[in-house]
Amino acid sequence: MKIAVIKIDGLTIHEHHLEIIYSADKFRFSTKVFFHEISFSALIEKYSQQLIERIAAHIALFEGMKLCSLFPKYYDVSIIAESLAQPVLDLFVKIYQGVFAQHWYENNVTNYRQPEIIYSQSSLGANNPVPILGDNSTILASCGGGKDSFLAMQMLEESGIAFASMQYSHSIYGKADIQHNFISGVLEHLHPVKSYKISIYDDFIDFPFLQLYFPENSGITVPETPVSIFESLFLMLDGGYNYLSLAHEKSANTGNLFWEELGREVNHQWGKGLVAEKILDQFIQENILSNFKYFSLLQPIYDFRIFQNFSRYPEVLPKIHSCNIKKPWCKKCPKCAYVWVGLMAFFKPDIVDAVFQSNLFDDRDLLPIFREMLGLSQHTPFECIGEIDESRLMMKKCLEKNLSGKALDMFAQEILSDTTIDWQKIEQKYNYVYETEHSIPDLLFNQIKGQL
C-alpha cells in the first residue's frame, strides 16, 4: 500500500488547546495540543487573531511531518495556506531532510527526498514578523525531566537569572499525568518563576496503525524538537519572554554514520543540533517574532562534562528520567545503557544502584548495544547519546573505579588493550568548554560560563 496524499483537514483553536485533523488518503487522525496555563482568547486580545492563527498554522504544518513517515507523494496544506509564507515551506523541507535521514536509512529508501507541498489557493500569505510585547528578561527554559534540563536550569539559578519552566508530555510516552509528575519531581529542586505544561495527544502515534497497515515500515519519526519550538511561542507571548533556552549538548551535532549510498550523514539528533538551532532561530526572528532568541545553554559542552557537573547534585538523581520506552527506566534500551555508563562514571555506585537496582554492565541483552556505543558495530545506536570516544572514556572511568560486568570485560579486551589510544587527548576534548561554538547571547554566556 502506498499513500498518495497527506492533508491537514482541520485546525481549530479552542480556549486552551489546538485540535488538528489530518488524513492520509482514506485514513484520518487527530493531534490535540493542550496548553494548561494559556488562554487563547486572552492572547488574541493582547496580540491579534492573525498572529495566533499564524503560529497555530506553523504548529499544524510541523506536527503533520510525522505522517511523512508514510513516504507520501503530496502534503496538502490548503486549509492553512493563507497563514503560511514560502519561507516556512522551504524550512519544512530542510527540517524534514535533516530529521528523516535516519528514517530513509532504516527503510533503505534512496529515491525520496520529501513530499511535494501543495495548496489550492492562488497564493500563500505574507511574512509580517511582530515583536513580543513587554521587556521581560526571564528566560523560558524547557524541562524534559532529565539531567540536561535540570543542569541548564540549575546554572541559571546559580547565576541569579530568572527563568520560567516549560514541560510537555506526549502520548507516545504513556499517560500525560505520569510524565508531568516525573518532570515536576525534578522541578521541586528548582525555583522557576512560573511553570507551563503542554500535553499532546496523538492517535497516529498512539494507535497500532503502522504495525497493521504498514508492517514493513521501520516506525514513525517525529520532529519533536522543531515542533516544540513552535509550540513554545504561545508561552513566550503569554509571559512576554524573549529568550527560549533548551538543554542540547554538543554531542548532538555528531551523526550515527555516514551513508555512502546517499553521500550524507545520518544523525538521530539532527533536530537538536546547532545547525537546526540556528535555522529555526533565524526563521522565527525573520518571519514570526522579531525579538525572539532561541539557544541551548549546554551547547558549549559535551555529555562527558554534563555528567560530571550533574554529579554535584546526587539528591536529584532519583528524580530524573531519560528513557523513551518506559518511564523512568526500562533498563533494556540504548538510552538507559548510556545514561547508566555516565552515571556510574561520576556518581558513587551505591547511589546509582539504588535507582537502577541491577548491574546493566552484566545484562547480556545490552552487550550488542554497548558494542554499538563503543564503535564496534556498523553505527552507534539511534538514540540521544554521546560520541563513540565519549562512551569509551566514561567506560574507562568505570573500570578505574573497579566496577565489573561483562560489558566492561569486553571493553577491556577489545578497546583498552589498544595502546595507541591517546586517552589524555580524548579527555581534553570532552572535558572542555567551547566558548564560541554556540548561540547563547554574549551577556548571558558571560553570566553562566563559570557554571559550565
Side-chain angles (χ1 to χ4, degrees):
M1 185 192 305
K2 287 189 175 181
I3 294 294
V5 183
I6 60 170
K7 184 180 181 182
I8 303 174
D9 287 319
L11 170 59
T12 307
I13 302 173
H14 297 279
E15 180 62 7
H16 302 290
H17 79 284
L18 306 179
E19 182 176 25
I20 315 161
I21 307 299
Y22 297 99
S23 60
D25 289 350
K26 62 185 177 182
F27 304 105
R28 287 173 68 84
F29 309 97
S30 76
T31 299
K32 297 181 177 69
V33 186
F34 285 83
F35 298 84
H36 295 234
E37 291 75 27
I38 294 288
S39 158
F40 279 113
S41 59
L43 280 183
I44 289 168
E45 189 175 336
K46 184 178 179 181
Y47 289 91
S48 70
Q49 179 91 28
Q50 184 188 33
L51 177 63
I52 303 311
E53 287 179 354
R54 283 185 69 213
I55 295 173
H58 283 68
I59 292 170
L61 176 71
F62 282 93
E63 280 285 359
M65 189 182 285
K66 57 185 172 265
L67 278 82
C68 296
S69 302
L70 302 173
F71 301 105
K73 187 172 183 181
Y74 301 106
Y75 184 7
D76 187 343
V77 300
S78 298
I79 198 168
I80 59 168
E82 63 183 20
S83 295
L84 305 175
Q86 184 60 45
V88 77
L89 304 188
D90 300 335
L91 175 71
F92 183 92
V93 171
K94 281 184 188 173
I95 299 294
Y96 171 80
Q97 293 184 343
V99 170
F100 273 71
Q102 175 189 334
H103 192 66
W104 300 341
Y105 176 81
E106 289 178 320
N107 290 279
N108 196 29
V109 170
T110 59
N111 58 352
Y112 183 89
R113 290 297 172 269
Q114 75 269 340
E116 181 183 343
I117 301 177
I118 58 174
Y119 44 92
S120 57
Q121 279 100 327
S122 57
S123 65
L124 297 164
N127 289 331
N128 183 27
V130 301
I132 299 167
L133 299 178
D135 186 22
N136 194 338
S137 61
T138 299
I139 293 169
L140 181 63
S142 175
C143 181
K147 72 181 193 312
D148 301 337
S149 47
F150 166 78
L151 195 63
M153 288 186 286
Q154 182 67 26
M155 284 164 47
L156 292 173
E157 199 157 291
E158 290 182 7
S159 303
I161 299 166
F163 64 93
S165 65
M166 170 184 76
Q167 65 190 71
Y168 90 91
S169 68
H170 200 297
S171 52
I172 192 174
Y173 302 131
K175 288 190 175 295
D177 288 352
I178 293 174
Q179 294 175 61
H180 284 303
N181 287 341
F182 274 125
I183 298 172
S184 297
V186 173
L187 288 171
E188 286 173 5
H189 295 270
L190 297 155
H191 301 89
V193 297
K194 184 165 184 174
S195 295
Y196 290 94
K197 291 188 178 110
I198 299 173
S199 300
I200 301 173
Y201 298 85
D202 191 321
D203 61 19
F204 175 63
I205 291 173
D206 210 24
F207 292 173
F209 172 77
L210 210 70
Q211 301 94 302
L212 294 175
Y213 290 96
F214 297 90
E216 73 286 354
N217 195 309
S218 67
I220 296 169
T221 296
V222 181
E224 276 196 276
T225 297
V227 77
S228 72
I229 301 303
F230 286 103
E231 285 159 352
S232 73
L233 298 184
F234 287 134
L235 312 186
M236 301 192 74
L237 294 178
D238 179 72
Y241 311 124
N242 298 115
Y243 293 123
L244 173 65
S245 164
L246 271 69
H248 299 147
E249 70 289 345
K250 192 170 181 61
S251 316
N253 299 317
T254 302
N256 302 81
L257 76 148
F258 187 84
W259 192 7
E260 296 286 354
E261 199 160 350
L262 282 192
R264 62 167 296 159
E265 190 178 59
V266 175
N267 183 1
H268 173 81
Q269 302 187 80
W270 187 88
K272 293 169 54 180
L274 186 58
V275 170
E277 182 181 302
K278 288 180 174 180
I279 290 170
L280 285 160
D281 178 52
Q282 183 179 354
F283 171 82
I284 292 170
Q285 285 183 35
E286 292 178 355
N287 296 279
I288 304 178
L289 300 173
S290 56
N291 53 352
F292 166 90
K293 181 64 184 169
Y294 159 48
F295 52 88
S296 166
L297 282 173
L298 300 185
Q299 188 62 237
I301 57 176
Y302 281 99
D303 240 347
F304 178 84
R305 193 172 178 93
I306 293 171
F307 277 112
Q308 184 173 272
N309 291 352
F310 179 56
S311 68
R312 299 200 297 261
Y313 311 98
E315 70 280 3
V316 185
L317 177 55
K319 298 292 185 72
I320 67 162
H321 68 283
S322 285
C323 181
N324 294 322
I325 295 173
K326 182 182 178 183
K327 306 292 184 188
W329 310 103
C330 76
K331 302 180 223 179
K332 289 290 184 182
C333 72
K335 191 69 177 286
C336 286
Y338 176 73
V339 172
W340 162 268
V341 175
L343 295 177
M344 291 302 274
F346 291 106
F347 281 80
K348 291 180 179 177
D350 59 327
I351 300 175
V352 186
D353 287 335
V355 172
F356 283 81
Q357 298 183 337
S358 62
N359 182 1
L360 270 57
F361 287 137
D362 248 346
D363 188 328
R364 289 186 182 277
D365 295 339
L366 290 175
L367 278 176
I369 289 172
F370 283 121
R371 292 187 67 83
E372 290 177 349
M373 281 168 43
L374 297 169
L376 299 173
S377 295
Q378 279 187 306
H379 57 77
T380 52
F382 289 128
E383 249 300 355
C384 296
I385 68 171
E387 295 183 357
I388 290 168
D389 278 346
E390 204 165 2
S391 297
R392 291 180 173 188
L393 185 60
M394 292 191 294
M395 204 166 267
K396 182 173 179 282
K397 296 285 182 191
C398 291
L399 267 182
E400 290 168 354
K401 293 170 75 171
N402 295 318
L403 301 177
S404 62
K406 295 179 182 64
L408 289 173
D409 294 341
M410 175 264 294
F411 169 75
Q413 290 165 10
E414 300 192 41
I415 293 166
L416 204 56
S417 58
D418 183 351
T419 55
T420 65
I421 296 174
D422 188 341
W423 292 104
Q424 186 178 359
K425 186 178 179 182
I426 290 172
E427 183 155 356
Q428 283 174 347
K429 172 183 175 179
Y430 292 110
N431 201 24
Y432 187 77
V433 178
Y434 294 82
E435 296 200 9
T436 58
E437 298 171 21
H438 59 81
S439 297
I440 306 168
D442 291 343
L443 182 63
L444 180 59
F445 181 73
N446 289 332
Q447 288 177 274
I448 61 103
K449 68 180 179 181
Q451 309 295 335
L452 288 166

